[in-house]
Amino acid sequence: MKQLGFFDVEERLSRLSGLGDQLEAFSRTVNFEAFRPDLDKALAYADGSKGGRPPFDPVLMFKILVIQTLNNLSDERTEYLINDRLSFMRFLGLGLSDRVPDAKTIWLFRERLTQAGAIDILFNRFDAILRNAGYLPMSGQILDATLVAAPKQRNTNDEKTDLREGRIPQDWQDKPAKLSHKDRHARWTLKFTKAKRQEDGSMPATDLAIPFFGYKSHISIDRKFRLIRKWKTTDAAASDGARLREGLLDKSNTASTVWADTAYRSKANEDFMEKQGFVSKIHRKKPHLRPMPRHIQRSNAGKSVIRSRVEHVFADQKSQTGLFVRTVGLTRATMTIGLANIVYNMRRFLLLERINAAA
C-alpha cells in the first residue's frame, strides 16, 4: 500500500464533497464564529499568564459537540472518529498532524458550559442568526412534548420513595462515588401507544402502556418554518399542559394562534392564553362516558393537519440523531436536549436555504 500524500487527501475530500458532506454544508451555511463571544464568556478561561498548555479553541470544541449530537456519539467514540474521519477533520479545520482533543477534554468542555448555564444563551444566539436571515416566527406556533430515554436506575422501593420526595437516600449520603452515578432527577412514567392488530384481525380493547424512564423535551415551533423557538426540559413524569404557562409560548410570533393536543387543554391554560393575547386552537377532549360530538371531531381533525407538523421535529431528532440522554441529572440532560434543539435548527436552516436557493 502506497503512503498517503497531500493530493490523495485532497482528492478524497473532493469525493466526499461530491457525495454530499453534511458537515461541509454546515461550514458554508452556519457562522460558527458568531458563538465565540458567548463561549468565551461562559468558559472564562485564564489569560495564560501563569503558563500551562493553552486550551483548545472554544469554537472548535463547540463544533465537536455539534458532531457528537449529529451522530449520537459518546465522548470516547467522538475522539476516535475525529482521528479517523477526514470529513470530521475538515469540519474542525484540523490537519492530519494536528492535536485532537481527547474524551476527557470533550467532557470537561461540555461540563463547563453546562455548569455555566450556557445552553440557553447559545440557543438564543442561533435563533438570532435565523431571524437575521429572514426566518422570523410566523403563522402561529405549535406545542408538544416527547419522552427522551436515559439509562435506567436500579433502586429499591425505599430509595424510589426518597427520590420522589426530594430526599437523598440515607445509604447514598456517605458514598459520593455511588451518588455521582445515580440520576436523582429522571423519573418513570407510562408511555401509551396504540395496540397492534392481532393475528386474527381483531383489535385489542385497550391500548398499550409501556414503562419509560428518563426525561421529557417540551418545544414550541413556529408554523411557517418549523423551527424550534422555545423549549424546556423536565423529568418524564412532568405534566405537558402545565409547561405552557412556563415560558413555552413565543410572543414574538407574527400570529397569535396556538395549536396543541388535548394534554394542553385546561381552563388554566385557556385563561392564561386569553390574557396573553393568544388564540387557542388546542384539541378538545372527548366528553366523559359520552361519544365525541361530530362537529368537535371535524374541528379536531382540521387542527391535527397543522398540529402534526411538530411530530416531524421529534422524528428527525430521534431517527436522524438518535436523541438519548447519556448523562446524570436534570442540568446535564438540559444541556443534551438543548444541543439537540440547536442542531435540529441548524439542519432545518440548511434545508430552508437550499429551498430558497432553488426557488
Side-chain angles (χ1 to χ4, degrees):
M1 181 182 294
K2 71 175 183 177
Q3 186 175 1
L4 193 65
F6 172 78
F7 292 107
D8 295 314
V9 173
E10 287 297 309
E11 182 181 353
R12 181 63 58 84
L13 288 172
S14 178
R15 289 182 62 189
L16 289 173
S17 299
L19 292 170
D21 181 2
Q22 182 179 219
L23 291 177
E24 187 181 28
F26 268 51
S27 295
R28 287 196 308 265
T29 310
V30 178
N31 177 21
F32 283 95
E33 280 297 318
F35 295 99
R36 185 178 294 279
D38 300 316
L39 292 169
D40 287 339
K41 185 176 180 180
L43 296 166
Y45 286 143
D47 59 7
S49 59
K50 295 183 178 180
R53 175 177 285 185
F56 283 97
D57 179 73
V59 175
L60 178 145
M61 294 300 299
F62 179 66
K63 291 169 81 172
I64 288 177
L65 297 187
V66 170
I67 287 176
Q68 192 173 44
T69 304
L70 269 172
N71 297 279
N72 187 26
L73 302 174
S74 66
D75 295 335
E76 291 75 14
R77 188 65 178 165
T78 302
E79 177 190 355
Y80 174 81
L81 288 177
I82 292 172
N83 282 282
D84 182 64
R85 291 192 180 179
L86 289 175
S87 60
F88 284 13
M89 283 187 265
R90 175 168 64 180
F91 177 61
L92 298 173
L94 295 174
L96 292 174
S97 60
D98 290 329
R99 186 164 62 99
V100 173
D102 60 19
K104 183 65 174 179
T105 301
I106 297 170
W107 184 91
L108 287 171
F109 176 79
R110 186 178 58 250
E111 184 70 6
R112 195 154 185 164
L113 290 181
T114 301
Q115 298 308 319
I119 190 60
D120 284 325
I121 298 170
L122 295 171
F123 180 89
N124 292 336
R125 174 65 64 186
F126 190 64
D127 187 62
I129 293 173
L130 294 170
R131 291 168 188 259
N132 290 336
Y135 300 108
L136 300 173
M138 293 182 179
S139 306
Q141 54 198 298
I142 310 170
L143 275 62
D144 206 354
T146 190
L147 295 169
V148 182
K152 296 180 178 64
Q153 304 283 295
R154 304 190 183 280
N155 302 323
T156 66
N157 290 333
D158 290 340
E159 289 171 343
K160 292 177 183 178
T161 300
D162 286 338
L163 292 174
R164 281 194 296 268
E165 296 179 0
R167 298 191 302 267
I168 299 177
Q170 186 66 36
D171 292 344
W172 299 3
Q173 295 181 14
D174 57 349
K175 299 177 181 177
K178 181 176 182 178
L179 183 60
S180 67
H181 287 86
K182 287 292 187 178
D183 196 329
R184 291 173 285 155
H185 301 123
R187 292 289 183 270
W188 284 97
T189 190
L190 290 176
K191 180 179 180 179
F192 295 94
T193 184
K194 295 291 184 181
K196 295 182 180 179
R197 190 177 298 275
Q198 296 180 342
E199 292 182 0
D200 60 2
S202 63
M203 290 294 293
T206 58
D207 290 335
L208 302 177
I210 303 172
F212 185 95
F213 183 80
Y215 292 92
K216 189 175 286 187
S217 170
H218 308 261
I219 65 170
S220 171
I221 69 168
D222 66 89
R223 179 188 174 191
K224 173 71 173 178
F225 299 114
R226 305 186 196 182
L227 292 161
I228 300 172
R229 302 295 182 171
K230 299 288 183 179
W231 63 281
K232 188 178 182 68
T233 301
T234 65
D235 64 78
S239 165
D240 292 0
R243 308 287 84 78
L244 180 144
R245 305 187 300 276
E246 296 179 357
L248 268 189
L249 294 175
D250 183 9
K251 293 183 179 180
S252 68
N253 198 292
T254 60
S256 57
T257 318
V258 178
W259 286 267
D261 62 26
T262 56
Y264 296 86
R265 168 70 68 169
S266 69
K267 187 177 185 307
N269 283 350
E270 295 297 308
D271 291 344
F272 177 82
M273 286 189 289
E274 184 177 0
K275 290 179 181 178
Q276 297 293 321
F278 292 102
V279 177
S280 174
K281 291 290 185 180
I282 297 177
H283 281 47
R284 292 188 177 275
K285 298 179 181 179
K286 177 181 175 298
H288 184 59
L289 298 178
R290 287 186 293 158
M292 178 76 83
R294 292 294 298 275
H295 71 283
I296 294 181
Q297 284 184 1
R298 290 194 294 269
S299 175
N300 281 352
K303 294 171 183 175
S304 291
V305 174
I306 296 172
R307 193 205 66 80
S308 62
R309 297 176 185 179
V310 73
E311 302 293 347
H312 296 273
V313 179
F314 296 136
D316 182 273
Q317 288 183 322
K318 293 185 176 181
S319 64
Q320 298 297 318
T321 62
L323 179 57
F324 179 80
V325 173
R326 301 175 183 274
T327 54
V328 173
L330 179 60
T331 303
R332 294 188 181 111
T334 300
M335 183 70 181
T336 298
I337 292 173
L339 282 169
N341 292 339
I342 292 174
V343 168
Y344 166 79
N345 278 355
M346 287 181 177
R347 295 182 72 245
R348 184 71 184 167
F349 182 40
L350 261 62
L351 176 62
L352 293 169
E353 289 288 273
R354 284 200 299 269
I355 293 173
N356 287 337

